[in-house]
Amino acid sequence: GDLHATATIGGTVGDMKLQTQLAVRNLRRQDFQPVRTLDVNATCRGEYRHPMRTVEGITCFWPVGSGHLLLTGNVHTFAPAEAHLQLEMNQVPAEFPLQVLGLMRPYAQNVTATGALNGSFQLDPGKQPLAAGEARVTGVVLSYPGGSLAVPTMDFLAGEPQPVAKKQLRAVKNVTAAPAPEPNAIALQPLAIAMGGAGPLKADGWVNESGFHLHLVGQAGVARLMAAGSNFGLLENAPTLAAPKGRVEMDTITTGNWLPPMMGGSSGIRTTGTMHVEGAALRAGFLRAPVEVTSADVELKPG
């Protein structure tokens, strides 16, 4: 991207006031050109106290759409550095996380979103867990080629013990427990999504600095599941010959890194678990007509 930064420094060497303006236009990964890039325009200020080796009164403000991100706090510069920061998200468009994801994974460029993100996290890099706080995303409707998806209110929580595979999530037999969040993870609390099945598809999971875990259990229509999964890159190692018909009862875990591997052509996303499919059809290029599948049990394994 194109970086432009200015800094104003005033005072003495031992007591300096700092103010910076940082702008990045056309922010993107170097190895591909996304359809939509991201612009950054942030203003930061703070005061450096040499005797204490601290930067105090840090305030960084980044307008995002009709909302903003605000980072405040103090940093102690002795090695190892200590920081006490707070990140606030106020009416940040739900489109913003998708824009960031689109910088790392091309498929996310196909998805747009409505809704708003609000929340606050305390950040202490020298402690475990790194972050503590909560955020809520409301009014989300995802639109993508082949369909759209209304998502209930999503609550994210960090810094507290997370529930794992609650009894009310057991919509099918032998439900697989979602992996427990790592210490620095932000957990998505359980929610139910209408996906065209007789019952809802229930989701929980977590994200951290390197990637994500998504646990899905419940019912969905094959057509809606395929449209959503393909646009989010979730079906790379799942059967891709299915026609968009039928219904599925599933219990799967999808994991992936934010950045796909540079070599090999793989997205780095994998789905494991089980699916029970009814009223489906398989369409293969070497067959004259689709194969009707009254019912089938599918097991997804690594690779």
Side-chain angles (χ1 to χ4, degrees), residues 41-275:
N41 189 2
T43 302
C44 295
R45 66 174 183 267
E47 298 183 8
Y48 174 65
R49 309 293 187 187
H50 181 72
M52 289 80 73
R53 301 291 200 274
T54 63
V55 181
E56 300 177 350
I58 296 172
T59 303
C60 291
F61 181 79
W62 178 5
V64 180
S66 57
H68 65 262
L69 299 172
L70 178 64
L71 182 69
T72 58
N74 304 303
V75 175
H76 301 274
T77 57
F78 285 112
E82 294 182 9
H84 304 285
L85 303 170
Q86 178 167 313
L87 177 63
E88 297 180 13
M89 297 153 283
N90 190 338
Q91 291 298 312
V92 174
E95 180 81 4
F96 176 71
L98 284 176
Q99 285 182 288
V100 176
L101 184 60
L103 298 182
M104 299 178 282
R105 289 189 168 274
Y107 65 76
Q109 296 281 319
N110 299 327
V111 185
T112 60
T114 62
L117 167 64
N118 291 278
S120 177
F121 290 97
Q122 299 288 337
L123 307 176
D124 291 292
K127 296 182 178 180
Q128 291 288 343
L130 169 65
E134 57 187 354
R136 170 168 286 188
V137 191
T138 56
V140 175
V141 177
L142 303 175
S143 300
Y144 41 79
S148 63
L149 181 64
V151 182
T153 297
M154 292 185 288
D155 289 307
F156 293 88
L157 191 63
E160 296 183 13
Q162 306 302 326
V164 178
K166 288 186 177 180
K167 291 182 180 180
Q168 56 264 40
L169 286 179
R170 299 180 182 273
V172 295
K173 295 181 180 179
N174 301 319
V175 169
T176 302
E182 296 180 357
N184 288 331
I186 299 176
L188 169 65
Q189 302 303 289
L191 57 91
I193 307 171
M195 287 287 289
L201 183 63
K202 300 176 183 179
D204 65 309
W206 52 270
V207 300
N208 62 11
E209 64 273 15
S210 61
F212 65 89
H213 284 64
L214 178 64
H215 180 216
L216 298 175
V217 56
Q219 301 171 345
V222 171
R224 296 199 65 184
L225 182 65
M226 288 177 60
S230 61
N231 281 286
F232 281 95
L234 303 181
L235 298 180
E236 182 184 44
N237 66 344
T240 56
L241 300 178
K245 61 176 291 188
R247 55 194 179 277
V248 59
E249 194 168 13
M250 59 188 294
D251 177 19
T252 61
I253 293 176
T254 300
T255 62
N257 296 324
W258 299 123
L259 293 175
M262 295 295 291
M263 304 294 291
S266 170
S267 71
I269 296 176
R270 71 177 189 180
T271 299
T272 58
T274 59
M275 293 181 170

